[in-house]
Amino acid sequence: MGFRFFGKIILIFLQIDIGWKAMKKKSDKDLIVALDIGTSKIVAIVGEISNDNVIEIIGLGSHQSRGLKRGVVIDIESTTLAIQRAIEEAELMSGCEIHSVWTGIAGSHIQSLNSHGIVAIRDNEVSQADIDRVIEAGKAVAIPADQKTIHVIPQEFIIDNQDGIRFPIGMTGVRLEAKVHLVTGAVSAAQNITKCVRRCGLEVDEVVLEQVASSQSVLTDDEKELGICMVDIGGGTSDIAIFNDGEIHHTAVIPIAGDQVTNDIAVALRTPIPNAEDIKIQYACALTQLTNHEDTIEVPGVGDRPPRRLARQILAEVVQPRYEELFILIQAELRRSGYENLIAAGIVLTGGSSKMEGVIELAEEIFHMPVRLGLPQFVSGLAENVKNPIYATGVGLLLYGHKQAEDSMTRIDVNSGVRGIWGRMKSWYQGHF
């Protein structure tokens, strides 16, 4: 009698638990919002998790950015206003109210290094607690007081000298080691980004390194396994991420990007910077050989001076040296990292300044390896609207946020799913007997 009674109670609680989860799923919109705070543009993208666990883009907003320089906030008011405009546009398109965002961080203050942690395995079987302890051991390195840890990314685990392990939970052993990639950034830079977002009435889910985010949207698993270098050429910085054996092994930031190209055009052609930006977007070419001698462009003058016509080839002669300088610096960084000969899949260029005519061809000439343009993928809904290198970081933030939420839910389910049901049963029993 007692066994049947408690069996019925367990069944009732399971039904209540399942019903409560189903009701929650129907009533709550599973939204993820990405906020890409770039040097030239601020982009907000709203994604909803569909029934088949794919991110469906339902809203998009963007606004010109004037408050950042080389990826770092230099004007709080201007940046806050631009964020507000982009968020309002995204809310209007999606029909949703945005409360929190996943945002990116970049800049020359970003530093990275590889580290190593070792711990003894408790109970001879690897648990989540062991993994947490070994990652903590791996991040225990001295960093400057003005820097904070942004990411601790596991590369591989080693159990009793057996390397190449990615999912060690449940495996038997005595000693657990972890190789991790640490990314640090200036405390003030992260705080200023958070302050701008909070002044718009929003919370920050997490501040994510921009190249880590971009790699989620433009790289395939096969490329990461084989070895690849991704370069996100934005407005203020060019962000590098090198993958090998499926995990990130090196990150770097080069303070040369699209803004320097615009300035070169403005100075060489003697035209205002806004006009130079328009000329760059419409007519610029990074490889002189691809231009036609007969093509001409109209260049607005400064002040009251009248516009004049110049050969498009002259514009290419201004742009090409800057991209050559950038690619030579990237090549030097590849050599310094020691991964130049380990990126068999070549190089992927993404970001707004990568889609200029001739950039891919020039990169192949300098790197002597395959180069392709990285377009955001792995999303549905308004996917065509974001199929542009400009949105690589924004879409990547959505994918990163979704992956983190899934990992967190998996950990909660494993650690406390059963305890949650038994806890509610115990409370009910104590209240009735």
Side-chain angles (χ1 to χ4, degrees), residues 195-222:
K195 185 180 288 185
C196 291
V197 174
R198 285 183 175 161
R199 288 181 96 177
C200 296
L202 304 170
E203 284 300 317
V204 177
D205 289 316
E206 190 178 324
V207 176
V208 183
L209 186 66
E210 290 194 353
Q211 56 261 53
V212 170
S214 298
S215 64
Q216 298 280 330
S217 67
V218 301
L219 301 182
T220 65
D221 290 340
D222 290 340

Side-chain angles (χ1 to χ4, degrees), residues 112 229 240 242 250-254 326-340:
S112 70
C229 173
I240 301 171
I242 299 173
H250 184 75
T251 52
V253 177
I254 294 175
L326 172 61
F327 293 148
I328 288 167
L329 286 172
I330 292 167
Q331 193 173 50
E333 182 64 35
L334 272 171
R335 284 175 184 159
R336 191 182 69 80
S337 72
Y339 288 96
E340 186 181 21

Side-chain angles (χ1 to χ4, degrees), residues 63-377:
H63 194 270
Q64 189 174 8
S65 173
R66 296 186 185 276
L68 285 90
K69 185 176 182 180
R70 294 184 179 174
V72 177
V73 176
I74 58 169
D75 186 338
I76 294 278
E77 290 296 331
S78 181
T79 305
T80 302
L81 183 63
I83 291 171
Q84 190 72 52
R85 295 280 170 82
I87 289 290
E88 286 170 358
E89 195 177 323
E91 284 181 330
L92 193 65
M93 183 181 286
S94 64
C96 301
E97 192 175 341
I98 295 171
H99 299 288
S100 64
V101 296
W102 295 76
T103 189
I105 189 170
S108 302
H109 60 92
I110 297 292
Q111 297 177 5
S112 70
L113 69 151
N114 293 322
S115 182
H116 192 206
I118 306 174
V119 296
I121 299 171
R122 290 176 182 166
D123 303 324
N124 290 333
E125 187 175 300
V126 179
S127 66
Q128 185 61 52
D130 294 317
I131 292 174
D132 293 340
R133 284 190 302 115
V134 78
I135 289 174
E136 280 295 321
K139 66 185 263 192
V141 295
I143 61 172
D146 62 343
Q147 294 268 312
K148 65 174 284 188
T149 303
I150 298 172
H151 291 292
V152 184
I153 305 169
Q155 295 170 334
E156 68 168 333
F157 295 94
I158 303 165
I159 298 176
D160 297 344
N161 297 322
Q162 174 61 55
D163 59 3
I165 299 167
R166 292 195 188 166
F167 307 104
I169 290 182
M171 296 184 72
T172 302
V174 176
R175 188 177 72 251
L176 176 65
E177 301 173 56
K179 291 182 178 179
V180 298
H181 183 68
L182 293 176
V183 178
T184 66
V187 173
S188 58
Q191 286 176 341
N192 286 333
I193 287 173
T194 304
K195 185 180 288 185
C196 291
V197 174
R198 285 183 175 161
R199 288 181 96 177
C200 296
L202 304 170
E203 284 300 317
V204 177
D205 289 316
E206 190 178 324
V207 176
V208 183
L209 186 66
E210 290 194 353
Q211 56 261 53
V212 170
S214 298
S215 64
Q216 298 280 330
S217 67
V218 301
L219 301 182
T220 65
D221 290 340
D222 290 340
E223 286 174 328
K224 291 176 185 177
E225 284 290 339
L226 199 55
I228 194 153
C229 173
M230 186 210 72
V231 184
D232 187 341
I233 312 174
T237 59
S238 294
D239 307 322
I240 301 171
I242 299 173
F243 286 80
N244 202 0
D245 294 328
E247 299 298 338
I248 197 164
H249 281 256
H250 184 75
T251 52
V253 177
I254 294 175
I256 294 178
D259 283 357
Q260 282 71 31
V261 177
T262 302
N263 287 333
D264 290 347
I265 294 169
V267 171
L269 304 187
R270 296 182 177 86
T271 188
I273 285 178
N275 299 115
E277 180 70 20
D278 293 338
I279 289 169
K280 180 185 79 173
I281 292 168
Q282 293 179 46
Y283 306 111
C285 179
L287 200 58
T288 313
Q289 298 95 296
L290 298 179
T291 58
N292 192 324
H293 295 279
E294 299 173 358
D295 289 345
T296 61
I297 59 172
E298 186 177 276
V299 180
V302 180
D304 297 331
R305 295 176 182 84
R308 63 201 188 283
R309 296 203 73 81
L310 291 175
R312 186 169 175 244
Q313 194 169 35
I314 293 173
L315 176 62
E317 287 169 359
V318 173
V319 171
Q320 184 172 337
R322 183 61 81 177
Y323 273 95
E324 284 177 346
E325 179 192 10
L326 172 61
F327 293 148
I328 288 167
L329 286 172
I330 292 167
Q331 193 173 50
E333 182 64 35
L334 272 171
R335 284 175 184 159
R336 191 182 69 80
S337 72
Y339 288 96
E340 186 181 21
N341 297 322
L342 298 174
I343 49 172
I347 291 172
V348 172
L349 300 181
T350 191
S353 301
S354 67
K355 61 177 186 174
M356 184 188 294
E357 183 187 354
V359 167
I360 302 298
E361 291 82 356
L362 178 64
E364 287 183 335
E365 278 187 15
I366 291 173
F367 293 118
H368 303 293
M369 61 178 70
V371 181
R372 74 169 177 88
L373 184 65
L375 299 174
Q377 49 191 327

Side-chain angles (χ1 to χ4, degrees), residues 7-69:
K8 285 180 181 179
I9 290 174
I10 291 169
L11 187 60
I12 290 166
F13 267 97
L14 285 172
Q15 288 172 341
I16 290 170
D17 194 61
I18 293 164
W20 179 77
K21 285 180 179 176
M23 186 173 69
K24 188 180 176 187
K25 209 170 202 179
K26 287 177 185 175
S27 62
D28 291 351
K29 267 193 169 180
D30 293 325
L31 293 181
I32 300 176
V33 183
L35 183 65
D36 175 16
I37 305 175
T39 304
S40 57
K41 186 177 285 188
I42 290 176
V43 175
I45 307 177
V46 183
E48 183 180 3
I49 311 303
S50 64
N51 293 332
D52 51 356
N53 206 32
V54 174
I55 294 177
E56 183 181 342
I57 293 176
I58 59 173
L60 176 66
S62 64
H63 194 270
Q64 189 174 8
S65 173
R66 296 186 185 276
L68 285 90
K69 185 176 182 180

